[in-house]
Amino acid sequence: MINREWHLLSRPVGWPKPEDFALVETPVPTPGEGQVLVRNEYLSVDPYMRGRMSAAKSYAAPFELDKVMQGGAVGEVVASNAEGIAVGDHVLHFFGWREYAAVDAKNAVKVDPQAAPLSTYLGVLGMTGLTAYAGLLRTASLKEGDVVFVSGAAGAVGSQVGQIAKLKGASRVIGSAGSAEKVRLLTEEYGFDAAFNYKDGPVSEQLRAAAPDGIDVYFDNVGGEHLEAAIGSLNQGGRIAVCGMISVYNNTEPAPGPRNLARLIQTRGRIEGFLVGDHYDLQPQFVQEVGPWVASGAVKYRETVVEGIENNLEAFLGVLRGDNTGKMIVKL
């Protein structure tokens, strides 16, 4: 049996190129003691993976050259040498970018395909959803009545941030996105009070028009011009949670910082970065609260599904371009 998996051949400079990667055929692995063999059914591709393709020191170890990459995946157990996980069970794990994975049972989490579609465990009920939940409620300390601004709002994380903010009592939720279609999605399906296309004009001007009385919380997925605009509209005591800065991930030179940081003195504002891995203690609370919202339709979600392991790289590049609406998923 043949296993196909994506290897990183060279570290991208600027935008990743196809020649930086290779789809390699290897034997299907045999699970060792305490391991299970998983036939992956859905793979996740996410913006943070771009950072792991660089050798620069970061919060996660770089992908190794000439070896298979990693990412979230969910699939069916087809062989087991571990207690507590049987053939036929479905598990969530972190050995994506491949068709088959031998996974230590301690690193596999059983999921129920009857309770929710398997793909949701990579998105709305998985790490993506927990990122939105922890960043908004813990890092940004959302309070009832807050005015909330979300960049990258039609993406997997941003769309949940806006909806959770509304359910938690935000007085107004504003989102930015990169197309007219995504702007309509934010207001008509996800319940944002206002949204704008950042390509239509200066973000600062569009944000002031959407939030004339300022903002209390900014959830940052983009960085750059969006972050500067948010600082400019921040109310006294405002909080900024920095989740990602996709606008600068492929820069070959350091991006200039916001030019208006001095406003934080006037507003007593706070900027704080966060990683979802520091907030896994919230996972039970997250599932208990958000799970029923998803089941009832109170929290809606979209997925952009790309078929086939051979298209895994193109799906990842699509995330960097903003091609996806909601969570980008590769279906094997």
Side-chain angles (χ1 to χ4, degrees), residues 142-150 162 165-166 169-175 191-195 206-217:
L142 177 77
K143 301 191 296 288
E144 189 172 351
D146 279 345
V147 177
V148 177
F149 173 45
V150 187
K166 291 292 291 185
S171 63
R172 186 168 175 81
V173 176
I174 300 135
F192 282 61
D193 297 290
Q206 296 195 77
L207 179 57
R208 281 196 296 270
D213 296 324
I215 62 172
D216 303 297
V217 167

Side-chain angles (χ1 to χ4, degrees), residues 162-181:
Q163 293 180 85
I164 293 171
K166 291 292 291 185
L167 288 164
K168 286 288 190 177
S171 63
R172 186 168 175 81
V173 176
I174 300 135
S176 73
S179 72
E181 179 183 359

Side-chain angles (χ1 to χ4, degrees), residues 4-321:
R4 292 182 293 171
E5 56 186 36
W6 281 96
H7 288 205
L8 182 66
L9 301 185
S10 57
R11 302 206 180 277
V13 177
W15 276 86
K17 303 179 294 296
E19 53 265 34
D20 295 324
F21 308 85
L23 183 60
V24 177
E25 291 187 350
T26 63
V28 171
T30 300
E33 187 66 29
Q35 289 189 323
V36 295
L37 178 64
V38 183
R39 183 180 69 242
N40 288 331
E41 297 183 38
Y42 293 94
L43 308 178
S44 177
V45 288
D46 302 280
Y48 79 87
M49 294 174 176
R50 177 61 184 88
R52 296 196 66 189
M53 294 171 188
S54 167
K57 187 175 180 180
S58 185
Y59 60 85
F63 292 134
E64 295 184 56
L65 294 180
D66 300 309
K67 292 188 178 180
V68 62
M69 294 182 289
Q70 298 174 339
V74 65
E76 182 180 1
V77 175
V78 294
S80 176
N81 278 334
E83 293 185 7
I85 301 181
V87 171
D89 285 344
H90 288 81
V91 296
L92 173 69
H93 61 90
F94 204 68
F95 294 91
W97 289 83
R98 70 199 82 184
E99 291 177 308
Y100 288 86
V103 181
D104 290 342
K106 63 183 180 181
N107 295 326
V109 178
K110 286 203 288 188
V111 296
D112 184 359
Q114 303 302 317
L118 281 176
S119 60
T120 63
Y121 294 105
L122 296 175
V124 65
L125 292 178
M127 184 175 71
T128 301
L130 181 59
T131 300
Y133 188 86
L136 178 67
L137 301 184
R138 178 175 281 174
T139 307
S141 305
L142 177 77
K143 301 191 296 288
E144 189 172 351
D146 279 345
V147 177
V148 177
F149 173 45
V150 187
S151 59
V157 173
S159 58
Q160 276 193 262
V161 171
Q163 293 180 85
I164 293 171
K166 291 292 291 185
L167 288 164
K168 286 288 190 177
S171 63
R172 186 168 175 81
V173 176
I174 300 135
S176 73
S179 72
E181 179 183 359
K182 289 181 179 180
V183 167
R184 286 193 298 272
L185 177 69
L186 292 177
T187 56
E188 295 176 7
E189 185 167 329
Y190 292 149
F192 282 61
D193 297 290
F196 60 84
N197 183 347
Y198 67 85
K199 298 175 183 177
D200 286 347
V203 175
S204 58
E205 294 180 8
Q206 296 195 77
L207 179 57
R208 281 196 296 270
D213 296 324
I215 62 172
D216 303 297
V217 167
Y218 171 47
F219 194 103
D220 189 16
N221 291 305
V222 174
E225 183 186 1
H226 279 79
L227 178 56
E228 185 170 291
I231 294 171
S233 286
L234 205 63
N235 289 331
Q236 185 165 318
R239 290 87 64 204
I240 295 174
V242 181
C243 176
M245 293 191 174
I246 196 170
S247 70
V248 304
Y249 286 169
N250 293 306
N251 287 5
T252 56
E253 298 292 334
R259 297 166 295 181
N260 57 349
L261 284 174
R263 270 208 94 242
L264 297 177
I265 303 168
Q266 172 191 344
T267 62
R268 291 76 149 178
R270 169 168 61 85
I271 300 178
E272 183 177 347
F274 75 98
L275 297 174
V276 66
D278 296 333
H279 301 282
Y280 281 135
D281 62 297
L282 288 176
Q283 179 76 23
Q285 176 183 324
F286 160 70
V287 172
Q288 182 179 21
E289 187 164 25
V290 177
W293 286 342
V294 174
S296 69
V299 167
K300 299 176 174 61
Y301 67 95
R302 290 281 190 97
E303 295 174 338
T304 299
V305 180
V306 173
E307 300 268 353
I309 185 74
E310 64 276 8
N311 294 314
N312 211 91
L313 175 59
E314 181 57 29
F316 168 70
L317 296 176
V319 170
L320 298 183
R321 293 190 299 260

